[in-house]
Amino acid sequence: MTLVWQEENGQRREVATMPDMFTFPLWGVFDGRWLVYARSSLMRAAPHGGGGSELFAWDSESRTAPRQVLGTADFLFRPPLRDGKLVVTRVLGEDRNELTLHDLAAGTVRTVATGPVSAVGFHGADLLWFDRATARLNAVGPDGKAGSAPQPSPGPGTTVDVTTDGQTTAWVSRDERALTVWRPDWAAPVRVFRVTPPAASAAATSLPPGTRPPTVDPFHKVATPTAVGDLVIFQYHLGWYVADLRSGSYVRLTADHAHAVVSGEALLVDPDNNSDPAQQHAYSLLRPNRLPPLPACP
């Protein structure tokens, strides 16, 4: 399998060739110069077959061979990347992560925090990261000291699913049924999407005290929010949606089982149509920031 980088003018360049047919790229992020991607193998012997992934970086200016940034490990997908600064949230154990800041040009690594933490993104030169123990966002400047970026307080009912594009910050509630958004010029955070669970059945309400009722359709959950200017793209149930902060409306972007990847201001959609021949996909590239505002809800 080959990883290909394509410019806007259609010119293509092979970045890397995966070593065998069972190794595949999981995702990639690009900041205008640096391409960072993860790859994983399901079949080769340990450590490659242990469930972790390997992280690589490629410089599109020098166009030298990609170099490995992180060995086989478990980490949160799509780490924030800006101006050659990469922030990796590596999973150490249950509710315990390590947050590291990688300067790709200098080749240096610095540990930012350890614990129930996750990288969120950048606000200017400041790195934003979320600490679930305190339920607060934190800002760290390039010098390692506390940054000056304004920070909302998501609160204790927040998951580690927090994101920002430097202006808009969005997060998912711990029950994964609500999406909340905040901007520095807003008086308070605003909930833009909420899943209302169905009423409990008679069987569920008649259970003995202390017994937990069965989960009702666990697929109806909000996940993977990404802020893109005035839009917040997120996953719900089996599809992808976009909420427009200009009008307060939202709309579905994809059909069931489609895949969507947001990188910067671009959205790549894979319909996963199981076409023949196998593994043939018709990708669509959207620029959400160029779309007109959605009409307001009635």
Side-chain angles (χ1 to χ4, degrees):
M1 182 176 290
T2 302
L3 180 63
V4 178
W5 180 61
Q6 180 173 318
E7 301 183 52
E8 286 187 341
N9 61 10
Q11 182 177 358
R12 296 185 177 187
R13 179 182 178 86
E14 291 187 2
V15 174
T17 301
M18 303 299 113
D20 58 55
M21 64 178 295
F22 300 110
T23 304
F24 54 95
L26 295 174
W27 47 259
V29 289
F30 185 61
D31 68 354
R33 174 183 174 181
W34 294 93
L35 172 66
V36 174
Y37 64 94
R39 74 180 191 190
S40 182
S41 174
L42 300 179
M43 301 296 291
R44 284 185 295 162
H48 298 284
S53 304
E54 302 162 315
L55 201 61
F56 290 81
W58 178 67
D59 185 356
S60 65
E61 290 187 0
S62 66
R63 302 196 176 189
T64 54
R67 73 169 187 266
Q68 191 163 349
V69 176
L70 188 67
T72 304
D74 293 320
F75 49 85
L76 301 187
F77 283 2
R78 294 182 175 83
L81 173 66
R82 180 183 182 275
D83 295 336
K85 305 300 188 297
L86 174 72
V87 191
V88 178
T89 303
R90 188 164 66 95
V91 179
L92 302 178
E94 184 176 357
D95 211 22
R96 185 169 182 267
N97 301 329
E98 179 187 54
L99 199 65
T100 53
L101 177 62
H102 299 249
D103 187 323
L104 299 180
T108 59
V109 183
R110 175 164 59 89
T111 300
V112 176
T114 304
V117 299
S118 62
V120 174
F122 290 93
H123 184 281
D126 289 343
L127 163 65
L128 298 183
W129 57 279
F130 180 66
D131 187 345
R132 204 165 72 185
T134 61
R136 295 192 61 84
L137 281 173
N138 301 276
V140 177
D143 57 359
K145 299 180 180 179
S148 58
Q151 307 147 46
S153 180
T158 305
T159 69
V160 294
D161 223 346
V162 188
T163 183
T164 186
D165 66 350
Q167 177 66 17
T168 301
T169 303
W171 59 88
V172 177
S173 59
R174 183 164 297 216
D175 63 4
E176 300 177 289
R177 293 186 179 274
L179 176 64
T180 302
V181 177
W182 178 84
R183 281 181 161 181
D185 55 345
W186 290 2
V190 175
R191 190 173 63 191
V192 298
F193 187 84
R194 173 68 182 172
V195 180
T196 302
S201 64
T205 56
S206 61
L207 292 174
T211 303
R212 297 183 61 183
T215 302
V216 179
D217 198 350
F219 298 104
H220 281 84
K221 294 183 178 181
V222 183
T224 327
T226 302
V228 185
D230 293 316
L231 307 176
V232 178
I233 298 167
F234 61 97
Q235 191 174 16
Y236 168 63
H237 193 35
L238 301 177
W240 288 82
Y241 290 71
V242 58
D244 194 328
L245 305 182
R246 297 165 292 185
S247 60
S249 305
Y250 64 88
V251 69
R252 186 167 184 168
L253 284 174
T254 68
D256 287 354
H257 305 294
H259 302 284
V261 177
V262 179
S263 181
E265 297 179 346
L267 172 66
L268 184 67
V269 178
D270 174 11
D272 192 21
N273 57 3
N274 295 317
S275 57
D276 187 29
Q279 304 302 320
Q280 180 175 333
H281 299 273
Y283 293 98
S284 298
L285 181 65
L286 304 176
R287 302 298 292 269
N289 62 324
R290 298 180 182 177
L291 299 177
L294 291 172
C297 293

